[in-house]
Amino acid sequence: MTFLIALLSGLIFGLGLITSGMSDPAKVLSFLDLGGRWDPSLAFVMAGAIGAARLPFAWALRQPRSWLGQLMPSAPAGTIDRSLILGSALFGVGWGLSGFCPGPAITSAGAFALPGIVFTAAMVTGMKVFDWQKK
Amino acid sequence: MTIDWTHFSPWSALAGGALIGLAASLLLLANGRVAGVSSIIGELLGPADGNRRWQASFLAGLILAPTLWAGLAPNGLPASDLVPTGPADWSVLIIGGLLVGFGTRLANGCTSGHGVCGLARLSPRSLIAVLVFMAAGFATVFLARHVLGN
């Protein structure tokens, strides 16, 4: 059952990415282009997502277990450290270069779009590089 | 700064965002799991554990979404909605992908894990992550488009 819920959640998530314009790299780059003709639309994606998730999250995280009996995640460990800042900065540069972040990259690859597939392959490689250097 | 009113689409952005928030809420309420795409991919690349099945299922949903959308929408799904405009710049896609992969693992999250789930649970770490990747994104596009020319 948990995998069916996950499949449904992934589907709705992906439809949301497409509906919102978040999966369109050109729109992402227009959103990030404060110095040009700025398209502020994608700020509304975050507003809509957090608006919809805020109360369910607050309620869910006070429950001992999920509907399917799984333990709820504890508050994420770790503090505001160098890894968080440096990692987010590198991510932001890659996002600003390409217009892709991880979710839309997977969705684009799912549509058999070659740029999405190439980006996803490079992203997976970057994740593997991270795993190697951590050892 | 000028606003690009012709492409401004607040309602579809808000509706799509609400779907994303709904999807993340469903995963947390029913499964007790966080819809963070970079962590899901990163953990699938690591050693096998009890999370593999739901993580692979979630990714399968993301992968199938464009096909479902194309089937539901009267006009289908224009390919231009999922790829950069103009001829693809492969070196930019590869460098961007490497940076996004490495950076999101180092920071333990991306636009979904920190930007949606983290902010929805009011995590200070996620707020800092979002401010940093947004600032880096703004700076990168500014440099690429207005300083180095492009």
Side-chain angles (χ1 to χ4, degrees):
Chain A
M1 194 61 193
T2 54
F3 79 94
L4 275 180
I5 294 284
L7 179 70
L8 185 64
S9 171
L11 263 179
I12 299 171
F13 200 105
L15 292 177
L17 289 175
I18 299 169
T19 307
S20 63
M22 196 68 200
S23 61
D24 181 352
K27 197 159 180 78
V28 170
L29 294 179
S30 298
F31 170 64
L32 293 175
D33 189 6
L34 291 176
R37 281 171 56 76
W38 186 48
D39 177 357
S41 309
L42 296 189
F44 291 79
V45 183
M46 199 167 260
I50 295 168
R54 175 71 197 111
L55 290 178
F57 266 60
W59 188 81
L61 292 169
R62 280 201 306 269
Q63 310 305 310
R65 285 184 182 269
S66 74
W67 294 338
L68 295 174
Q70 311 245 31
L71 282 175
M72 282 294 173
S74 48
T79 49
I80 295 163
D81 56 9
R82 233 191 72 185
S83 300
L84 184 80
I85 308 267
L86 181 64
S88 298
L90 293 174
F91 165 42
V93 172
W95 190 39
L97 284 174
S98 62
F100 278 121
C101 59
I106 297 287
T107 304
S108 177
F112 304 105
L114 194 55
I117 294 171
V118 169
F119 180 91
T120 300
M123 177 176 77
V124 165
T125 307
M127 291 178 171
K128 289 304 264 183
V129 171
F130 174 77
D131 288 342
W132 290 326
Q133 61 84 36
K134 214 172 65 173
K135 281 177 192 158
Chain B
M1 179 200 291
T2 50
I3 305 269
D4 184 356
W5 293 111
T6 45
H7 293 111
F8 185 52
S9 55
W11 297 112
S12 55
L14 208 54
L19 284 177
I20 293 169
L22 178 76
S25 300
L26 173 67
L27 194 68
L28 185 69
L29 284 166
N31 282 8
R33 292 293 182 271
V34 176
V37 178
S38 60
S39 297
I40 288 175
I41 304 171
E43 285 171 25
L44 275 172
L45 295 171
D49 64 10
N51 287 313
R52 284 210 111 92
R53 248 162 57 109
W54 80 261
Q55 287 170 335
S57 305
F58 183 87
L59 288 188
L62 276 185
I63 289 169
L64 290 172
T67 307
L68 180 64
W69 173 283
L72 291 176
N75 303 323
L77 180 64
S80 65
D81 283 5
L82 294 167
V83 295
T85 40
D89 187 335
W90 303 110
S91 59
V92 161
L93 285 170
I94 290 169
I95 294 167
L98 289 169
L99 289 171
V100 169
F102 190 93
T104 52
R105 291 307 282 150
L106 182 59
N108 251 310
C110 58
T111 0
S112 51
H114 283 311
V116 176
C117 299
L119 290 187
R121 72 190 292 177
L122 309 179
S123 152
R125 256 172 72 78
S126 291
L127 178 61
I128 297 297
V130 171
L131 292 175
V132 171
F133 71 63
M134 296 286 306
F138 285 131
T140 302
V141 173
F142 187 80
L143 278 174
R145 289 197 173 172
H146 304 293
V147 179
L148 306 171
N150 191 348

